[in-house]
Amino acid sequence: MQRLWGRKVNDLAFREFLQILEFVAFKKGKTLGYVDQWYPSSKTCNHCKYVLESLPLDVRRWRCPSCQTVNDRDGNAANNIKEAGSLSLAVGDVRPSQTAMAA
Ligand SMILES: [Zn+2]
């Protein structure tokens, strides 16, 4: 089916996935945020926001030419996406939930 319809099927399946995600978020009282698909999350240094011109897929770690921080490609991208998502929702800093401590 994908061969006949090509990318359209993938887009439809992904749209359906997003609808399910939106429904579940709404049902649980959560807000779903989106990040621009062209946001350079891998190429942007999470520490100083310097953006590389290019970053080949086989490069898993890179040193920022501006602040000299060594960035893990996936971890850096995840942090950038988390920040971009929280900014798009105007909720500020997003931190993982912490276990409540009994006093
Ligand atoms: Zn940097």
Side-chain angles (χ1 to χ4, degrees):
M1 189 167 164
Q2 184 179 349
R3 195 165 38 165
L4 290 174
W5 292 85
R7 185 179 168 165
K8 197 171 189 175
V9 169
N10 283 341
D11 289 346
L12 289 173
F14 190 67
R15 181 68 209 146
E16 188 175 337
F17 169 72
L18 289 178
Q19 287 175 334
I20 292 169
L21 209 54
E22 288 169 353
F23 173 75
V24 172
F26 175 76
K27 196 171 175 183
K28 294 188 177 272
K30 305 291 183 184
T31 305
L32 190 62
Y34 293 91
V35 176
D36 181 0
Q37 67 174 338
W38 302 114
Y39 172 62
S41 59
S42 297
K43 298 191 297 185
T44 303
C45 174
N46 187 250
H47 298 276
C48 71
K49 306 307 175 200
Y50 179 86
V51 180
L52 294 175
E53 284 189 30
S54 67
L55 184 63
L57 281 174
D58 61 334
V59 177
R60 307 311 301 170
R61 290 179 165 263
W62 57 277
R63 181 178 299 274
C64 175
S66 177
C67 70
Q68 304 302 314
T69 301
V70 176
N71 293 305
D72 169 67
R73 182 190 189 100
D74 296 336
N76 181 62
N79 288 333
N80 284 329
I81 290 169
K82 182 174 71 175
E83 284 182 12
S86 65
L87 288 174
S88 73
L89 297 173
V91 295
D93 187 26
V94 175
R95 292 181 214 108
S97 62
Q98 296 180 347
T99 306
M101 295 179 67

